[in-house]
């Protein structure tokens, strides 16, 4: 029993000793950093040990020092760049100023925690805030630097670091970003960098944190929805599209994309219901009516599609989409009748009538967009035995 107690006592002493050693490592790193010629490799080694040890990995001093290392490296490179006769590395300077946020965001989190008495004891946060009031602007510049060089991953990291710096600089008790133009621009640039670099998961992650703060919200909502769609996640895209349509009803992207999703999923009733809701505001909008007709067209509901396209042409006789699509409806009706192996002479007669009905609409559409209509129009000429028009049509294509 005595041996066991002695073993436990020795173990406790070792743990305590190791904890003291790690705190001494942080202090040693601090002293080395203040020397005229800091040994950064040794400083980083000491701090790495401290961030892995139970006694020091929850100490804000440890992470204050981690951030301070990169801050000093940034300042050193900056002095070289602005001092005549010295050669500095701009990319290295920007990487260092951005890297300092990694240590300081942890220190900030630890500093803002309440102790067992419900109090917050600030030791390093004000120093960090003083540094970041200047360095945050440099992180912004870093983002623009990398964006200009099309290094979108570095650009996102830089703009995100600048946003984090904005938050850290908020007073104790406030953890939200300020709603100002700097925050709005940073959030927008972070999103546009991620999207341009096809970093679609990063776009979505950024939107979860910064969508309510970004500038150009209309475009931001579009980028986020497009990112979900690029990842094949229509479930994630739909809520963003719905919010975008509600906030920016004049932007057709949100509404049109939802219609396309419903069509692709075969949810034609939902697509029509969405269009009808918009038609309540603009009952004779030709684009909405054509879209409604297209939904019926895809659902092979030829009767309703015909009614809608005719309604469009009553108000806009030269509407290309309505002309071409109505011509297709008549053509499809005819082909469907002839495809039936039990088709009768009466069916053949009806089919020919459908071809005749399609002809004037396709000819009118051909005048507006020859290349898109030529093949279908040629088929109608052939079906109706209009060989001369058929030849003329294909001779025009050869010119």
């Amino acid at each position: 029993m005595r041996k066991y107690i002695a073993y436990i006592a020795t173990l406790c002493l070792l743990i305590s000793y190791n904890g003291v050693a790690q705190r001494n490592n942080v202090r040693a790193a601090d002293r080395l950093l203040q020397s005229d010629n800091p040994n950064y490799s040794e400083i980083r080694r000491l701090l790495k040990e401290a961030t892995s040890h139970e006694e020091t990995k929850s100490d804000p001093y440890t992470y204050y020092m981690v951030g301070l290392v990169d801050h000093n490296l940034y300042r050193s490179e900056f002095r070289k760049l602005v001092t005549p006769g010295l050669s500095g590395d701009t990319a290295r300077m920007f990487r260092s100023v951005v890297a300092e946020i990694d240590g300081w965001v942890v220190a900030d989190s630890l500093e803002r925690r309440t102790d067992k008495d419900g109090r917050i004891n600030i030791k390093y946060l004000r120093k960090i805030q003083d540094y970041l009031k200047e360095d945050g602007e440099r992180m912004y510049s870093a983002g623009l630097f990398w964006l200009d060089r099309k290094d979108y991953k570095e650009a996102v990291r830089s703009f995100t670091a600048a946003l984090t710096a904005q938050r850290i600089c908020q007073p104790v008790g406030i953890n939200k970003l300020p709603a100002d133009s700097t925050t709005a621009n940073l959030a927008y640039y972070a999103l546009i960098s991620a999207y341009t670099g096809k970093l679609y998961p990063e776009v979505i992650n950024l939107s979860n944190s910064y969508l309510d703060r970004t500038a150009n919200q209309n475009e931001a909502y579009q980028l986020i929805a497009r990112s979900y769609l690029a990842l094949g996640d229509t479930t994630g895209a739909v809520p963003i599209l719905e919010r975008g349509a509600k906030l920016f009803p004049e932007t057709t992207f949100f509404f049109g994309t939802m219609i396309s999703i419903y069509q692709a999923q075969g949810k034609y009733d939902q697509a029509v219901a969405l269009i009808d809701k918009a038609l309540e505001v603009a009952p004779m909008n030709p684009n909405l009516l054509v879209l409604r007709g297209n939904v019926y067209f895809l659902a092979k509901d030829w009767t309703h599609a015909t009614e809608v396209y005719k309604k469009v042409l009553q108000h806009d006789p030269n509407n290309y989409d309505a002309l071409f699509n109505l011509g297709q409806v008549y053509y499809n009706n005819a082909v469907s009748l002839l495809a039936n192996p039990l088709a009768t002479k009466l069916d053949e007669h009806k089919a020919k009538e459908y071809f005749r009905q399609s002809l004037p609409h396709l000819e009118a559409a051909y005048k507006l967009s020859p290349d898109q209509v030529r093949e279908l129009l040629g088929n109608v000429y052939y079906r109706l035995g209009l060989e001369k028009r058929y030849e003329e049509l294909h001779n025009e294509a050869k010119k």
Side-chain angles (χ1 to χ4, degrees):
M1 184 66 178
R2 290 179 180 177
K3 288 183 179 180
Y4 177 75
I5 293 172
Y7 170 77
I8 295 297
T10 302
L11 184 60
C12 289
L13 285 172
L14 285 173
I15 293 172
S16 177
Y17 173 77
N18 286 335
V20 171
Q22 293 306 320
R23 284 192 289 274
N24 286 338
N25 279 348
V26 179
R27 295 189 188 97
D30 197 346
R31 289 193 296 272
L32 285 172
L33 195 60
Q34 296 179 50
S35 64
D36 293 335
N37 189 23
N39 183 341
Y40 285 102
S41 295
E42 177 62 12
I43 292 170
R44 289 193 187 280
R45 185 191 69 79
L46 293 169
L47 292 174
K48 185 177 180 180
E49 288 187 12
T51 58
S52 303
H53 194 275
E54 285 297 324
E55 293 290 328
T56 46
K57 71 179 184 180
S58 297
D59 187 342
Y61 179 38
T62 302
Y63 297 96
Y64 165 71
M65 288 303 305
V66 170
L68 193 60
V69 170
D70 288 300
H71 170 79
N72 281 17
L73 284 169
Y74 146 65
R75 293 299 302 173
S76 175
E77 209 62 44
F78 177 75
R79 282 192 292 271
K80 292 177 187 177
L81 287 166
V82 298
T83 302
L86 295 180
S87 178
D89 186 327
T90 303
R92 185 182 299 167
M93 176 191 74
F94 282 137
R95 285 196 178 98
S96 294
V97 75
V98 169
E100 72 185 50
I101 206 71
D102 293 338
W104 284 347
V105 71
V106 181
D108 171 70
S109 176
L110 293 171
E111 288 270 271
R112 291 178 190 262
R113 290 195 307 190
T114 56
D115 62 18
K116 61 182 180 180
D117 298 319
R119 293 176 299 185
I120 296 176
N121 298 309
I122 298 298
K123 293 183 180 179
Y124 306 100
L125 182 55
R126 291 188 180 87
K127 292 181 182 179
I128 293 171
Q129 289 174 334
D130 286 342
Y131 286 129
L132 287 178
K133 285 174 184 176
E134 178 183 335
D135 293 3
E137 294 181 9
R138 196 69 65 182
M139 293 170 191
Y140 197 159
S141 299
L144 296 174
F145 174 84
W146 295 116
L147 185 58
D148 184 58
R149 284 153 183 77
K150 295 181 172 56
D151 190 333
Y152 302 111
K153 190 173 182 179
E154 286 286 355
V156 172
R157 174 167 162 74
S158 300
F159 290 128
T160 305
L163 284 163
T164 304
Q166 287 276 100
R167 183 187 58 75
I168 291 175
C169 286
Q170 293 292 90
V172 173
I174 300 176
N175 290 314
K176 289 187 176 181
L177 283 162
D180 57 22
S181 60
T182 300
T183 299
N185 289 330
L186 283 169
Y188 173 74
Y189 278 124
L191 282 168
I192 201 73
S193 298
Y195 182 79
T196 307
K198 298 182 180 180
L199 307 171
Y200 302 124
E202 190 65 24
V203 174
I204 294 166
N205 288 336
L206 288 166
S207 71
N208 292 332
S209 300
Y210 306 119
L211 181 55
D212 64 332
R213 288 288 189 267
T214 184
N216 302 319
Q217 288 224 332
N218 188 327
E219 184 180 355
Y221 271 89
Q222 292 184 54
L223 296 180
I224 297 159
R226 290 179 192 277
S227 296
Y228 275 112
L229 294 173
L231 295 171
D233 185 358
T234 54
T235 302
V238 168
I240 294 295
L241 291 166
E242 288 175 344
R243 287 167 60 190
K246 187 175 181 180
L247 291 169
F248 312 105
E250 75 285 355
T251 302
T252 58
F253 166 79
F254 302 108
F255 178 80
T257 305
M258 280 193 287
I259 295 298
S260 298
I261 290 172
Y262 288 143
Q263 288 177 335
Q265 295 174 342
K267 298 177 180 178
Y268 301 114
D269 289 343
Q270 289 177 255
V272 170
L274 200 59
I275 298 169
D276 286 346
K277 189 174 181 180
L279 283 168
E280 290 175 5
V281 180
M284 291 313 301
N285 184 307
N287 294 328
L288 291 174
L289 286 170
V290 167
L291 195 56
R292 195 174 194 271
N294 292 348
V295 174
Y296 287 128
F297 183 93
L298 289 170
K300 297 183 180 180
D301 184 345
W302 311 127
T303 301
H304 283 101
T306 300
E307 290 175 0
V308 174
Y309 292 138
K310 282 183 174 180
K311 188 175 183 180
V312 174
L313 293 173
Q314 286 175 1
H315 296 273
D316 183 7
N318 294 315
N319 187 294
Y320 167 77
D321 291 318
L323 287 167
F324 183 55
N325 292 348
L326 183 54
Q328 285 191 92
V329 168
Y330 287 129
Y331 180 86
N332 289 345
N333 271 310
V335 171
S336 296
L337 286 171
L338 296 176
N340 185 353
L342 301 177
T344 64
K345 288 290 183 181
L346 180 60
D347 290 329
E348 291 177 7
H349 178 75
K350 287 181 180 178
K352 198 163 190 177
E353 185 59 31
Y354 278 130
F355 284 131
R356 288 195 185 98
Q357 288 178 293
S358 73
L359 187 58
H361 303 296
L362 292 177
E363 286 182 328
Y366 178 76
K367 293 177 182 178
L368 299 171
S369 184
D371 292 338
Q372 293 185 42
V373 184
R374 182 176 289 110
E375 184 177 351
L376 185 61
L377 180 57
N379 285 337
V380 173
Y381 283 149
Y382 180 79
R383 296 275 193 172
L384 292 174
L386 301 173
E387 290 87 358
K388 185 176 180 180
R389 290 194 193 179
Y390 179 85
E391 290 177 9
E392 290 174 351
L393 187 71
H394 285 276
N395 288 334
E396 288 178 17
K398 295 176 184 177
K399 293 180 181 178

